[in-house]
Amino acid sequence: MKKRSLAILLTAALGISSLVGCGGSKEEAADTTAAETEAPAEEEAEETEAPAEEAAEEEKVDVYAFIAASLKNTMEEIKANYEKDHPNVNIIYNADSSGTLQTQIEEGAQCDIFFSAATKQMDALSEGGYIVDGSVVNLLENKIVLIKPTGAETAVTGFDNITEASSIALAGEDVPVGQYARELFTNIGILDQVMAMEINEGANVTAVLTAVAEGSNEVGVVYATDAASMPDDVEIIAEATADQVSQAIYPVGQVKDEQASEAETKAAEEFLNYLTTDAATMDLFVQAGFKQFTE
């Protein structure tokens, strides 16, 4: 009888132990199942976020704008304003003489917008089939001025007696401001005398401005806006009149960019529209000394 009672007790103990073991296995299985369920969900969320971030990166487009050197300071302000409102657009400038920029475009340089300091270069590109039909806008006007270093002495009082200077800084004949200067000297009958002077020929208007500001040359011919950009370094001696030289007109247009994607072409169109229609942008040009072009 005692042996039978002991056997029953042992059997009961084993049964309880077995139940405890089974309970632990179920909890572990539940935990494992939950972890496996959560992991794919997290991975799926990460996979969903990654393409969204990649798409945002892919949407950023570049717009290549070739701009006359005399526009650079103002265009940098415009770039900052535009990119702030259009974070997916990156404006890339190439600033030089309009003649140099024209040549680069003709030779195949990637360009979306051309902003020239004269109509001659824009007309040549239009006739050559490089400019989108109907996109050109004559936007700005500038003045041709004669300058000297601030505080420096000179006998020159105007363009008429410019040959009294010991030297002159003058842009090359393929540079719009250099072309305007030669036209002016031709109209007042002193071109040969001027060309016989000691001339420091600049690759663009910025080089001419710098030469005079540093005192390397007694006088120089630049745009009024260039002189206004360095008021502490140069002084205006005279401003060319309408009967002395043609209007300095700045046209801007869209270049046929074969390398541009559809998104880049659209971005170029929108930036061109911004340049030619935005009132705040025109205010920046006016503050820099430009005048809005009128017929």
Side-chain angles (χ1 to χ4, degrees):
M1 187 71 178
K2 288 181 180 179
K3 288 181 180 180
R4 185 178 176 184
S5 299
L6 181 61
I8 292 171
L9 289 172
L10 287 172
T11 300
L14 287 170
I16 293 169
S17 175
S18 177
L19 286 172
V20 171
C22 289
S25 297
K26 287 180 180 179
E27 289 174 1
E28 289 173 4
D31 291 342
T32 301
T33 302
E36 290 174 352
T37 303
E38 291 173 4
E42 291 174 356
E43 290 174 3
E44 185 178 347
E46 289 174 0
E47 289 174 0
T48 303
E49 292 173 3
E53 292 174 357
E54 290 173 6
E57 289 294 327
E58 290 172 1
E59 288 173 6
K60 194 170 183 68
V61 296
D62 295 332
V63 173
Y64 293 85
F66 283 23
I67 60 174
S70 52
L71 290 164
K72 191 173 188 303
N73 291 339
T74 308
M75 290 296 282
E76 288 293 349
E77 291 185 66
I78 292 169
K79 168 184 164 75
N81 291 343
Y82 192 80
E83 290 181 347
K84 181 179 179 181
D85 294 334
H86 302 78
N88 288 329
V89 177
N90 182 35
I91 307 297
I92 301 171
Y93 288 142
N94 176 20
D96 210 323
S97 76
S98 299
T100 297
L101 299 176
Q102 175 194 339
T103 300
Q104 291 173 352
I105 292 170
E106 291 171 337
E107 291 178 347
Q110 185 171 8
C111 176
D112 300 297
I113 303 293
F114 179 45
F115 203 162
S116 176
T119 57
K120 178 181 178 180
Q121 289 75 19
M122 184 66 80
D123 290 344
L125 288 174
S126 294
E127 291 167 7
Y130 295 93
I131 303 297
V132 175
D133 292 341
S135 69
V136 177
V137 176
N138 288 333
L139 188 62
L140 304 173
E141 227 182 290
N142 212 338
K143 295 292 185 182
I144 308 301
V145 297
L146 181 62
I147 60 171
K148 69 180 185 69
T150 297
E153 296 294 329
T154 180
V156 178
T157 56
F159 290 103
D160 291 335
N161 70 334
I162 196 171
T163 54
E164 293 188 33
S166 59
S167 66
I168 177 175
L170 192 65
E173 56 187 350
D174 65 333
V175 182
V177 72
Q179 294 167 349
Y180 287 125
R182 287 165 175 77
E183 177 192 340
L184 186 155
F185 297 140
T186 298
N187 289 342
I188 61 179
I190 61 170
L191 179 62
D192 291 340
Q193 295 95 309
V194 172
M195 298 314 295
M197 295 175 63
E198 181 183 328
I199 297 175
N200 178 9
E201 190 169 278
N204 52 49
V205 71
T206 303
V208 175
L209 178 67
T210 301
V212 177
E214 293 176 346
S216 299
N217 297 102
E218 187 172 330
V219 295
V221 180
V222 298
Y223 294 114
T225 52
D226 296 298
S229 72
M230 298 184 74
D232 295 333
D233 301 297
V234 300
E235 295 177 6
I236 294 177
I237 299 172
E239 182 178 290
T241 58
D243 62 323
Q244 290 177 326
V245 69
S246 303
Q247 279 180 296
I249 300 171
Y250 285 59
V252 58
Q254 185 174 355
V255 178
K256 295 177 181 178
D257 185 358
E258 302 298 335
Q259 302 176 59
S261 66
E262 185 177 340
E264 289 168 337
T265 299
K266 182 181 178 182
E269 292 172 354
E270 291 174 349
F271 183 55
L272 177 61
N273 182 65
Y274 177 82
L275 286 174
T276 56
T277 63
D278 184 71
T281 295
M282 181 53 67
D283 286 343
L284 289 177
F285 284 126
V286 172
Q287 289 168 22
F290 292 98
K291 180 182 176 184
Q292 185 169 10
F293 174 77
T294 54
E295 296 290 347

